Amino acid sequence: YALGILRPYIAQLLSDTGNRCPLKILDVGAGSGQDGLALHTLGFLVSFLEIYGTSVKFLLWRLMERRLNNPVYLWPHNDLVPHQDIAICFDVLEHLEPGPRTELLLWLGKTADAVYTNVIIDNKNDALHKRQTLEEVIAPLLGAYDGKLWTRGFYPDVTGAHRQHLVLYGEAVKLI
């Protein structure tokens, strides 16, 4: 499947889980559901969380066309989301201000046993993207997930600095 730039993140998730299905996965900021639908085809029990708009309408259409009944939850009505084994939240954090970003990350840590998210560094600071550093994003998580937080850099620029980082945290995360 064509997950483009997210391939190494999904590969890490599959390596970590050993493709043990059926694990429950929440795809946060699902958009049209490309990531979650790909994981669904591998046997994961995927549900989706997204802001209501054009992309979620397209996701609902895609599910209907495939005759799938995967749950779709609307943000901010997240109190309806049941506990998950894993939450994935890719290409979302750069769209949030620091306060809502931290709230989302902490909520995800309570909602899922393990959270996979990415942090995009040196992104544009415009109407759609907020500047962020890895340290700013993970600082609120350090106390709550001491010893249960892992990061790995991807996509180095010409200086060797990584432009994206995968962040994995949660109660199910065990670091050696």
Side-chain angles (χ1 to χ4, degrees):
Y1 45 83
L3 292 175
I5 204 162
L6 300 179
R7 279 189 176 148
Y9 307 149
I10 300 298
Q12 183 69 53
L13 175 110
L14 295 175
S15 173
D16 292 347
T17 62
N19 200 13
R20 288 189 315 272
C21 297
L23 291 173
K24 294 184 296 182
I25 294 182
L26 178 65
D27 184 357
V28 178
S32 63
Q34 180 173 327
D35 308 336
L37 288 171
L39 291 167
H40 172 82
T41 64
L42 295 174
F44 292 96
L45 302 174
V46 180
S47 54
F48 303 90
L49 178 67
E50 181 57 90
I51 297 169
Y52 187 75
T54 304
S55 60
V56 83
K57 290 177 187 176
F58 183 54
L59 168 60
L60 291 168
W61 176 83
R62 291 178 85 183
L63 292 169
M64 183 184 71
E65 284 294 305
R66 290 169 173 80
R67 291 183 168 83
L68 299 174
N69 60 356
N70 300 57
V72 177
Y73 302 98
L74 298 177
W75 184 265
H77 307 289
N78 51 330
D79 55 325
L80 302 174
V81 178
H83 191 79
Q84 305 288 310
D85 298 309
I86 295 169
I88 60 171
C89 182
F90 298 133
D91 296 347
V92 172
L93 302 181
E94 69 273 14
H95 300 290
L96 301 174
E97 295 288 345
R101 179 182 66 214
T102 298
E103 288 177 31
L104 175 62
L105 291 170
L106 293 173
W107 177 80
L108 288 172
K110 293 177 186 169
T111 303
D113 295 329
V115 179
Y116 290 74
T117 189
N118 67 327
V119 178
I120 299 175
I121 307 300
D122 287 330
N123 49 330
K124 296 180 261 180
N125 195 21
D126 58 26
L128 292 176
H129 302 93
K130 311 299 179 227
R131 276 196 203 277
Q132 59 187 4
T133 66
L134 178 63
E135 294 77 17
E136 290 169 346
V137 173
I138 67 171
L141 302 172
L142 291 175
Y145 299 100
D146 186 33
K148 297 180 180 189
L149 185 141
W150 174 89
T151 66
R152 178 177 172 201
F154 289 92
Y155 305 109
D157 63 17
V158 294
T159 68
H162 291 100
R163 294 182 50 246
Q164 292 197 26
H165 294 266
L166 176 63
V167 177
L168 169 60
Y169 68 96
E171 290 304 317
V173 176
K174 296 179 181 130
L175 304 178
I176 299 173

